[in-house]
Amino acid sequence: MAKKIGRNDPCPCGSGKKYKQCCLNKVEENHPLFGKIVSETFVLSNILKESKEFSTFYQKERANISTPVIWTHDLSLPIGINGKASSSSTGEKVIRLRTVPAALEDAFLVAEELTHIILHIEG
């Protein structure tokens, strides 16, 4: 498993700057998944496999979301925001994630965003 780059680590591009002052906020428009809708199965594949707790949560709570959920890869999220749930103009629920497929360390984030959708639906 690749080590996650810290904000204060040297930028992997080789510029000599800290990652936060160089490439952290650059939108990787050439990334093959950037801005694309991706399947929920693909997005959650890692954390469903690696986290029994998340898998149990997901099996119990996913049925509470009656509207379609659109999952997208979004590297343009602000610094420190790795995921965000929102509603589209047509009422579909959208979850934007910086990392696709979601990594094990994103399990809490994904659970939180799914919970936001459930709470929004339930009022």
Side-chain angles (χ1 to χ4, degrees):
M1 183 153 132
K3 180 185 176 281
K4 193 170 185 176
I5 302 167
R7 291 171 41 84
N8 291 313
D9 290 341
C11 190
C13 78
S15 67
K17 296 179 183 178
K18 288 183 179 181
Y19 181 54
K20 69 181 179 185
Q21 295 171 334
C22 191
C23 291
L24 177 65
N25 287 326
K26 289 184 181 171
V27 177
E28 295 179 29
E29 294 174 351
N30 293 327
H31 190 287
L33 294 177
F34 176 71
K36 297 210 167 119
I37 295 173
V38 289
S39 77
E40 188 167 328
T41 306
F42 176 71
V43 170
L44 302 178
S45 60
N46 290 339
I47 55 178
L48 285 170
K49 223 182 323 179
E50 297 178 30
S51 173
K52 182 178 179 183
E53 293 83 6
F54 180 84
S55 185
T56 301
F57 163 82
Y58 183 75
Q59 289 172 4
K60 180 181 175 198
E61 300 296 335
R62 182 58 176 95
N64 294 321
I65 302 175
S66 56
T67 60
V69 177
I70 297 170
W71 297 80
T72 66
H73 185 225
D74 188 349
L75 296 170
S76 66
L77 291 165
I79 294 174
I81 306 294
N82 293 324
K84 182 153 179 61
S86 59
S87 296
S88 72
S89 59
T90 58
E92 297 164 317
K93 304 305 178 194
V94 178
I95 296 181
R96 300 179 301 148
L97 296 174
R98 185 178 294 276
T99 304
V100 173
L104 180 59
E105 58 265 16
D106 295 325
F108 181 80
L109 166 73
V110 172
E112 182 179 38
E113 298 308 328
L114 287 169
T115 301
H116 287 157
I117 290 173
I118 293 166
L119 292 173
H120 184 262
I121 290 169
E122 292 177 352

